[in-house]
């Protein structure tokens, strides 16, 4: 009789044995967090100034928004693939693919697309670039989900998003504010390539942990079934689908604001370009600390509660404040910094969503993370698309209210997502199962336990 493969146990499931473990960072992949900071710093160098830079090349503002929209679309595909392929190949190979893809496409963007000043080539070049960083970053997120102990999953995910935000766009924007006056905007983009290369090689060469080098899906699952399953899980387990939508709304405003706010803060509010770049650095510098804080808070008070109230409701308010306060007071820099800090902090309220998704489908973590990553990539598409469609007819204020609406909807979705109590992954079943932990009924928990109106949802 053929034995059904059982999921590998979490590494470090016992008591913490090192300072890193006690902080919630899996020691076996700790260098990956450092590499992610450096990698995302290189990716984020362009974030605060590429939009006005392209407009300076003669590209219309609506066309620039479309360039970022298509970038987000290809990023959404790559984000989904990062989880699906990590299931099949292992996260390490997918991270290599992301690093190599970034190097090739970035060189094309700098040597062909930008010098041509042709909209079509810029669109193509940046669209290809969109395939790169999600493969690297979100494959590492799957690696974390595979090895982090369940009791610290929220903290481990919090450290990931802290590292992610430390680079994109915090240190990236800060680096740009220092590099552009010294070497110019175009040369700064070349420096970004070197930073990405260093950050990408750090974890790939230093991490010796074995789980990330092997496929995560069951051995008897075909590659096509794995790829299809990473999409069908969106409706096989409706709570995973709802979580992916919440993730899409999570950073849609962030990506959209990066398209329209640089020009608005400089031309309308009256900040200098350097002040704007430093404001972005402060905004997401705050995000670094609060990402970790909300990961820990989610482990304490519940992942679902944290995402709904601190993330969804918090961002509904802070997105509006980010526009209306500077619009009212003008270029009062301390006030602008204060509202930027508020927005950056509330974005962190969504951090426990990653842990929540893996608990909803514990037997197909790669598929659940693929769905979450699809939502993350879709946010990079939805944000610029919203700007492209509505900036003309509604202006900055109208688009800001749309983004606030996205966050409000995400809060409502989280409040109706029910899971079984407790943050730890559900106990292994007594009988082997090959299917994921999708509930037998839409109102069931991840272990099949019906959720009554009084059940404690995370």
């Amino acid at each position: 009789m053929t034995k059904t493969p059982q999921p590998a146990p979490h590494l470090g499931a016992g008591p913490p044995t090192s300072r890193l473990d006690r902080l919630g960072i899996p020691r076996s992949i700790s260098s990956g967090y450092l590499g992610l900071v450096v990698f995302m710093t290189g990716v984020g160098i362009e974030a605060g100034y590429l939009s006005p830079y392209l407009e300076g090349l003669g590209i219309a503002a609506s066309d620039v928004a479309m360039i970022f929209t298509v970038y987000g679309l290809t990023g959404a595909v790559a984000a989904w693939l990062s989880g699906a392929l990590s299931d099949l190949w292992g996260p390490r190979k997918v991270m290599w693919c992301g690093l190599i893809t970034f190097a090739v496409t970035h060189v094309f963007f700098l040597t062909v697309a930008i010098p041509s000043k042709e909209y079509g080539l810029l669109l193509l070049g940046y669209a290809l670039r969109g395939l790169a960083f999600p493969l690297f970053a979100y494959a590492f997120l799957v690696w974390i989900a595979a090895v982090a102990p369940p009791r610290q999953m929220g903290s481990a995910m919090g450290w990931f998003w802290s590292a992610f935000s430390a680079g994109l766009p915090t240190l990236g924007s800060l680096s740009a504010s220092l590099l552009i006056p010294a070497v110019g905007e175009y040369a700064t983009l070349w420096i970004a390539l070197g930073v990405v290369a260093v950050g990408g090689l750090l974890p790939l060469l230093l991490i010796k942990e074995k789980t990330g080098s092997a496929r995560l899906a069951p051995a008897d699952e075909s590659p096509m079934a794995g790829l299809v399953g990473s999409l069908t899980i969106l409706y096989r387990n409706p709570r995973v689908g709802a979580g992916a939508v919440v993730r899409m709304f999570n950073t849609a405003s962030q990506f959209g604001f990066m398209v329209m706010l640089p020009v608005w803060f400089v031309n309308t509010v009256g900040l200098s370009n350097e002040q704007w770049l430093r404001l972005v650095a402060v905004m997401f510098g705050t995000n670094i600390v609060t990402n970790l804080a909300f990961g820990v808070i989610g482990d304490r008070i519940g992942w679902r509660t944290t995402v709904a109230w601190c993330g969804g409701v918090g961002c509904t308010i802070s997105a509006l404040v980010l526009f209306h306060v500077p619009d009212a007071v003008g270029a009062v820099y301390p006030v602008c910094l204060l509202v930027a800090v508020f927005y950056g902090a509330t974005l962190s309220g969504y951090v426990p969503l990653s842990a929540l998704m893996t608990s909803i489908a514990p037997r197909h973590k790669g598929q659940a993370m693929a769905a979450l990553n699809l939502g993350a990539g879709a946010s990079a598409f939805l944000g610029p698309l919203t700007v492209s469609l509505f900036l003309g007819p509604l202006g900055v204020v109208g688009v800001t209210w749309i983004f606030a609406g996205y966050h409000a909807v995400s809060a409502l979705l989280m409040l109706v997502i029910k899971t079984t109590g407790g943050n730890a992954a559900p106990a292994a079943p007594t009988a082997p199962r090959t299917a994921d932990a999708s509930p037998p009924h839409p109102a069931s928990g991840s272990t099949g336990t019906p959720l009554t109106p009084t059940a404690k949802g995370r």
Side-chain angles (χ1 to χ4, degrees), residues 131-399:
L131 297 170
F133 95 78
L135 289 175
F136 182 91
Y138 297 137
F140 182 60
L141 184 63
V142 176
W143 203 339
I144 295 171
V147 303
R151 57 178 166 72
Q152 290 183 311
M153 187 67 72
S155 300
M157 296 298 184
W159 279 108
F160 170 87
W161 291 112
S162 290
F164 189 101
S165 297
L168 174 67
T170 311
L171 293 176
S173 295
L174 182 60
S175 299
S177 72
L178 299 174
L179 287 169
I180 290 173
V183 301
E185 294 165 318
Y186 182 69
T188 296
L189 292 173
W190 276 108
I191 294 174
L193 176 60
V195 176
V196 166
V198 172
L201 290 173
L202 272 173
L204 292 171
L205 298 181
L206 294 181
I207 294 179
K208 306 302 180 184
E209 198 277 330
K210 301 299 184 184
T211 303
S213 298
R215 66 179 281 147
L216 304 179
D220 58 350
E221 182 176 88
S222 70
M224 183 56 65
L227 289 173
V228 172
S230 64
L231 288 175
T232 60
I233 195 173
L234 293 169
Y235 64 84
R236 289 197 332 260
N237 189 332
R239 293 169 299 161
V240 172
V245 173
V246 171
R247 182 62 187 89
M248 178 179 67
F249 288 150
N250 171 190
T251 48
S253 62
Q254 175 186 330
F255 286 105
F257 282 154
M258 288 300 102
V259 176
M260 73 177 185
L261 289 190
V263 176
W264 182 76
F265 263 100
V266 172
N267 294 345
T268 303
V269 177
L271 300 185
S272 68
N273 190 51
E274 288 73 22
Q275 283 179 317
W276 159 251
L277 289 171
R278 291 192 177 98
L279 182 144
V280 174
V282 170
M283 179 190 299
F284 294 100
T286 302
N287 201 234
I288 298 170
V289 178
T290 52
N291 277 342
L292 176 58
F294 281 115
V296 175
I297 290 170
D299 284 340
R300 299 288 180 87
I301 71 171
W303 300 328
R304 184 176 66 90
T305 300
T306 304
V307 173
W309 292 103
C310 301
V313 175
C315 281
T316 301
I317 299 169
S318 66
L320 296 173
V321 168
L322 183 62
F323 168 81
H324 284 289
V325 172
D327 186 54
V329 305
V332 182
Y333 199 53
V335 175
C336 293
L337 288 174
L338 185 62
V339 298
V341 165
F342 180 38
Y343 174 71
T346 55
L347 275 179
S348 301
Y350 288 94
V351 160
L353 184 61
S354 302
L356 180 63
M357 292 286 276
T358 58
S359 74
I360 288 174
R363 292 190 171 276
H364 277 86
K365 285 187 172 67
Q367 291 185 8
M369 293 306 295
L372 185 70
N373 294 346
L374 178 61
S379 71
F381 164 73
L382 178 63
L385 178 64
T386 302
V387 175
S388 178
L389 294 177
F390 297 108
L391 182 60
L394 300 181
V396 176
V397 60
V399 175

